[in-house]
Every structure is written in C-alpha cells, then in structure tokens.
C-alpha cells in the first residue's frame, strides 16, 4: 500500500513524490509491527504505533476504531509523526485506504502520543495525503487534488503560519 498499488505500479496520485526521500514511520497496523510496510488489516482497530524491528517495545500512540491511518513519517528531529487519515466509509462503515483517497486529511502527532492536530482538514471529493517533512521539519509536503480539475498537485504547508503553497508538479 502507500505509494505502490497492489499490482506493483506507482499510484498515479503519488507519482510526483518519487525520489523526494523520507521513509515511512513504523507501521500503521493492528496487533503487529512490520518493516516500512502496512500490515494487512482486518476490521477492528486502526493505530499508529512504534516499536523495534524485532517487535519489542511495541507501543500504540494513537488508535481509532473505524478510520484507517497510513503514510506515517517521523519528523527529522524524531519528535512528531505526520500521517494520512481516511474518512470515506465502505459498506461495513470503515473508512479505509481501499475506500479511496477522496475526503482524506493530514494530521500530526507527537511521538509520545500527545498533541494530535489535523493540519489539512478533509474536504468532500478532495485528496490530501502522503505528507512528508521538509528537512528542517518546519513544513510538510503533501499531495492534493484541491483544484478545479481534481488533478494531483504537490503542496507545502508551513506549520508555523499554515500557509499552503502549490509546488511545481511533474506530470505523471
């Protein structure tokens, strides 16, 4: 999941992020820890968790009963996580990545599990996903379709001012 579709091809909305760097934070999963991959999920509980690669020191930082969270990345200083939250619900009432990227939001959370803040609120029919930190940790890059054509564009939000800037976006 994440940048790659189940058929192994890059997801079109995120093709522009290839090569910008930033690895996913520890997995977004229920009941398991994996290496930089989202664990296959079953209905139940969605969580942001930390842990060691061997599975020890597993700790849930934040969880939601019915809304998936993916694309987590740790800030350069190691103090916060940015992640994508899903809001479009399927027939079972779960909001997951499989239900589509429209109505997504971007949030940040302190690595100790406090300070949850939605920095890009969900909008009907609009994708806001795949946040990644700037090297100085003062801004977040993300993909958005908040434009008349609903085409994916790179954006950057300054965390201090909340100013959003559209960045040159390569085709693809």
């Amino acid at each position: 999941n994440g940048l790659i579709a189940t058929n192994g091809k890059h997801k079109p909305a995120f093709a522009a992020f290839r090569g910008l760097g930033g690895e996913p934070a520890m997995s977004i999963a229920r009941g398991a820890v994996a290496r930089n991959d989202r664990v296959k999920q079953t209905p139940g509980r969605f969580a942001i968790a930390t842990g060691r690669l061997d599975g020890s020191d597993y700790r849930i930082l934040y969880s939601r009963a019915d809304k998936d969270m993916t694309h987590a990345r740790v800030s350069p200083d190691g103090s916060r996580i940015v992640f994508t939250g899903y809001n479009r619900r399927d027939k079972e009432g779960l909001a997951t990545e499989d239900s589509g990227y429209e109505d997504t939001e971007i949030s940040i959370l302190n690595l100790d599990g406090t300070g949850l803040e939605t920095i890009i609120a969900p909008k009907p029919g609009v994708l806001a996903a795949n946040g990644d930190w700037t090297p100085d940790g003062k801004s977040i890059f993300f993909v958005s379709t908040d434009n008349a054509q609903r085409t994916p564009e790179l954006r950057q939000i300054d965390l201090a001012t909340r100013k959003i800037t559209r960045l040159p976006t390569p085709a693809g």
Side-chain angles (χ1 to χ4, degrees), residues 3 9 18 20 27 47 79 101 105 115 123 125 129 133 155 171:
L3 298 176
K9 296 189 183 294
R18 287 192 301 259
L20 288 181
S27 293
S79 68
Y101 288 94
E105 63 191 320
K123 291 183 181 179
W133 300 89
R155 305 276 175 98

Side-chain angles (χ1 to χ4, degrees), residues 28-109:
I28 293 51
R30 280 185 307 276
V33 176
R35 250 182 103 184
N36 294 334
D37 294 320
R38 192 173 64 126
V39 174
K40 181 160 178 63
Q41 298 188 3
T42 56
R45 187 169 120 187
F46 301 99
I48 300 280
T50 60
R52 298 186 185 283
L53 293 178
D54 66 4
S56 64
D57 296 327
Y58 181 77
R59 188 168 71 105
I60 294 174
L61 302 178
Y62 176 64
S63 66
R64 301 192 291 196
D66 58 353
K67 291 184 176 183
D68 198 358
M69 299 168 285
T70 63
H71 309 132
R73 292 180 174 84
V74 177
S75 62
D77 68 1
S79 68
R80 297 182 290 175
I81 296 173
V82 62
F83 61 92
T84 300
Y86 295 83
N87 294 293
R88 182 172 281 191
R89 296 182 184 275
D90 62 19
K91 62 185 175 186
E92 286 88 34
L94 297 175
T96 67
E97 184 175 30
D98 295 335
S99 299
Y101 288 94
E102 294 82 9
D103 311 339
T104 46
E105 63 191 320
I106 298 177
S107 299
I108 55 176
L109 177 71

Side-chain angles (χ1 to χ4, degrees), residues 129-143:
N130 213 345
D132 200 358
W133 300 89
T134 56
D136 63 9
K138 294 180 179 180
S139 297
I140 292 175
F141 297 117
F142 64 100
V143 177

